[in-house]
Amino acid sequence: MVDRLPRGEITAKELALADIKLVVADMDGTLLNEAGLVPDRFWPLLAELTKRGIAFVPASGRQYYTLLDLFDRHPGMLSYVAENGSMVMHDGALLSSSNVDPALVRTVVETVRTTSEDRLRLIVHRVDGAFIESEDADFLAHARQYCVRLDAVEDQLAIPGDVVKLAIYDFADAEHAASSIFAPLVGEHQLVVSGQHWIDITAPGTHKAQGVQALQRLLGVGPENTMVFGDYLNDLEMLDAADFSFAMANAHAAVAERARFRAPSNADEGVLTILRRLLASR
């Protein structure tokens, strides 16, 4: 196992000695470019990773079906850690999911409805899709970026079935809303600020690391065989699941402190840069 202290750029020797069998990458602010797309130059690297038996896993707060769309150019099957770990998919099948307590769902829905200043919106996520009450045009533009299966309903509390995630959009400041409005409500549930305007609430103990570890067990790999890339607060736990953890140059300060290595920014295709170096070293 490598030294976990943050240390900057990875060396050629460390890459040459690394026995990487699993690569996990966050999407927004990490792999995706500033247009929210997978860079064209990534696809040959993904093909080469697959050829060499290295599994690539997208890990995101995004909906599973949105991730499928992002990677539809890949001819094979990928595993996915979706909804910030609330859904883990392998070979097109649900490997695991976790559910938010219905009482908390009600509390959050009612809180969003009654909060003053009309600054909050809510997406209720299930395994099979996501649901909104608001059809505000500005909010819809953001919501559809992350949810390709999205339906408008009159009452989110009338939706049958288990809820895997509550995603709150704050037009102002998500970090402030998380601490002042929602943290006192969630109890043991997981609350994370997943972007400048997004707050995600999931079941207790649910985060991306949980999904990464489930896939590690399934694939028979350990942290010493795992490389992870992230940029924001919802990536913190999964950095600990890999000996080769990278913070993007554009990462939140807490992520930069937690990760062992640094990668160039997503705008500079930092994930691709490290993957090219990894493949060239082998």
Side-chain angles (χ1 to χ4, degrees):
M1 182 175 293
V2 299
D3 181 1
R4 293 301 188 101
L5 293 174
R7 206 174 45 73
E9 185 175 351
I10 194 167
T11 66
K13 182 179 179 180
E14 285 168 319
L15 280 173
L17 294 174
D19 182 21
I20 301 300
K21 299 177 181 177
L22 174 64
V23 174
V24 183
D26 170 57
M27 294 292 102
D28 295 279
T30 301
L31 176 65
L32 303 186
N33 60 27
E34 292 177 306
L37 302 174
V38 178
D40 286 338
R41 286 184 285 255
F42 173 74
W43 301 110
L45 294 174
L46 179 55
E48 186 64 22
L49 288 171
T50 303
K51 179 181 177 181
R52 298 196 194 188
I54 301 172
F56 178 81
V57 175
S60 177
R62 289 182 180 233
Q63 187 185 59
Y64 165 62
Y65 307 101
T66 306
L67 296 176
L68 278 180
D69 275 7
L70 281 172
F71 289 89
D72 64 355
R73 283 178 58 178
H74 181 59
M77 298 287 284
L78 296 177
S79 299
Y80 296 90
V81 176
E83 307 282 21
N84 277 331
S86 293
M87 283 182 65
V88 183
M89 304 293 295
H90 178 70
D91 285 343
L94 183 65
L95 179 63
S96 67
S97 64
S98 56
N99 302 322
V100 180
D101 187 295
L104 180 60
V105 173
R106 175 172 291 278
T107 297
V108 172
V109 169
E110 292 174 346
T111 298
V112 170
R113 286 173 177 171
T114 57
T115 296
S116 63
E117 303 175 20
D118 192 32
R119 62 185 244 207
L120 302 178
R121 301 289 186 270
L122 176 66
I123 309 177
V124 174
H125 293 253
R126 296 189 324 192
V127 166
D128 58 346
F131 304 87
I132 57 173
E133 288 181 353
S134 170
E135 294 190 74
D136 174 271
D138 289 341
F139 169 62
L140 276 173
H142 293 289
R144 294 197 183 281
Q145 181 180 354
Y146 301 102
C147 302
V148 297
R149 286 195 183 182
L150 184 67
D151 293 306
V153 295
E154 291 187 5
D155 183 1
Q156 288 170 320
L157 294 175
I159 303 167
D162 294 323
V163 172
V164 297
K165 189 181 78 173
L166 297 166
I168 300 139
Y169 186 83
D170 186 344
F171 283 99
D173 180 4
E175 288 199 42
H176 177 72
S179 61
S180 63
I181 299 175
F182 295 102
L185 304 178
V186 300
E188 296 300 315
H189 278 68
Q190 191 83 9
L191 181 149
V192 66
V193 179
S194 57
Q196 182 180 357
H197 298 285
W198 289 101
I199 303 163
D200 286 349
I201 298 172
T202 53
T206 300
H207 40 64
K208 292 182 183 181
Q210 185 182 47
V212 172
Q213 290 161 349
L215 291 170
Q216 286 173 327
R217 290 190 294 270
L218 182 69
L219 300 173
V221 304
E224 69 276 10
N225 310 118
T226 306
M227 181 176 282
V228 165
F229 299 87
D231 80 301
Y232 217 77
L233 297 174
N234 57 332
D235 299 321
L236 285 172
E237 291 87 357
M238 78 170 180
L239 296 173
D240 297 336
D243 283 0
F244 297 89
S245 57
F246 289 80
M248 311 307 291
N250 52 289
H252 190 287
V255 175
E257 183 178 350
R258 189 90 153 242
R260 182 168 183 252
F261 299 109
R262 303 292 177 266
S265 73
N266 67 313
D268 293 325
E269 299 187 345
V271 173
L272 281 63
T273 298
I274 302 300
L275 293 181
R276 287 192 194 99
R277 291 180 59 194
L278 173 67
L279 293 170
S281 72
R282 297 159 69 102

